[in-house]
Amino acid sequence: MKIKHKKILVCGLSLAVFVGMICGCTEADRAKRNVQQEADNFNVERRLSVINMRSDKPILELTGYFSLSNNNNHELEVTIEVENGKYKVDYIYLNDWTMYTVEDISGAHVDKYHYEINFLPEQIIPYTFKSKD
């Protein structure tokens, strides 16, 4: 009898946990997960902006169909789908003085494989190497 009661108790607890997990998922959670999955499948046009927080000026902007993730080296990993089933991966290093935003700018789509990266040269400080011989 004890084994039968334990099985019923385990099944009942498992069912309660499962129901709790299902009920805990809101519509917003499902929508966010679905949009993220679509973006990771290169179906959402987005804009990535990297901003210098000292000057409050943008230093990089990428527009197109891409998947975005962070790695353990304080870098954004940007995977971009280009023509003919090919992909490119770019890395953007983040430090204490940079931040980024990602916007969904989906709308009318003309070229699914179009992407654009803009470096703002006024934010890049020139450096001259001097040799001491």
Side-chain angles (χ1 to χ4, degrees), residues 57-84:
K57 294 186 180 179
I59 54 177
L60 180 133
E61 183 180 89
L62 182 143
T63 304
Y65 295 83
F66 58 87
S67 174
L68 185 68
S69 62
N70 294 79
N71 66 21
N72 293 333
N73 297 325
H74 303 287
E75 295 171 326
L76 292 176
E77 293 180 358
V78 184
T79 306
I80 305 163
E81 183 179 25
V82 294
E83 292 181 275
N84 300 323

Side-chain angles (χ1 to χ4, degrees), residues 4 52-53:
K4 190 173 186 179
N52 179 331
M53 295 305 294

Side-chain angles (χ1 to χ4, degrees), residues 14-34:
S14 298
L15 181 62
V17 168
F18 179 73
V19 169
M21 287 172 42
I22 290 174
C23 292
C25 186
T26 65
E27 186 175 346
D29 291 334
R30 283 191 305 268
K32 181 172 58 172
R33 186 175 57 250
N34 290 341

Side-chain angles (χ1 to χ4, degrees), residues 29-126:
D29 291 334
R30 283 191 305 268
K32 181 172 58 172
R33 186 175 57 250
N34 290 341
V35 169
Q36 183 62 48
Q37 183 176 6
E38 284 295 302
D40 286 340
N41 289 327
F42 310 103
N43 295 324
V44 176
E45 186 175 17
R46 304 190 289 177
R47 178 183 306 133
L48 166 68
S49 300
V50 180
I51 301 165
N52 179 331
M53 295 305 294
R54 285 185 178 181
S55 66
D56 295 331
K57 294 186 180 179
I59 54 177
L60 180 133
E61 183 180 89
L62 182 143
T63 304
Y65 295 83
F66 58 87
S67 174
L68 185 68
S69 62
N70 294 79
N71 66 21
N72 293 333
N73 297 325
H74 303 287
E75 295 171 326
L76 292 176
E77 293 180 358
V78 184
T79 306
I80 305 163
E81 183 179 25
V82 294
E83 292 181 275
N84 300 323
K86 295 183 181 179
Y87 301 89
K88 292 183 177 186
V89 178
D90 293 329
Y91 297 91
I92 302 165
Y93 181 76
L94 300 173
N95 60 33
D96 292 338
W97 293 101
T98 54
M99 68 164 279
Y100 69 94
T101 63
V102 179
E103 305 168 68
D104 178 350
I105 57 169
S106 296
H109 305 298
V110 178
D111 182 2
K112 180 178 178 178
Y113 302 108
H114 172 79
Y115 75 95
E116 181 177 312
I117 297 177
N118 296 310
F119 285 95
L120 303 170
E122 61 272 6
Q123 297 301 315
I124 300 173
I125 300 170

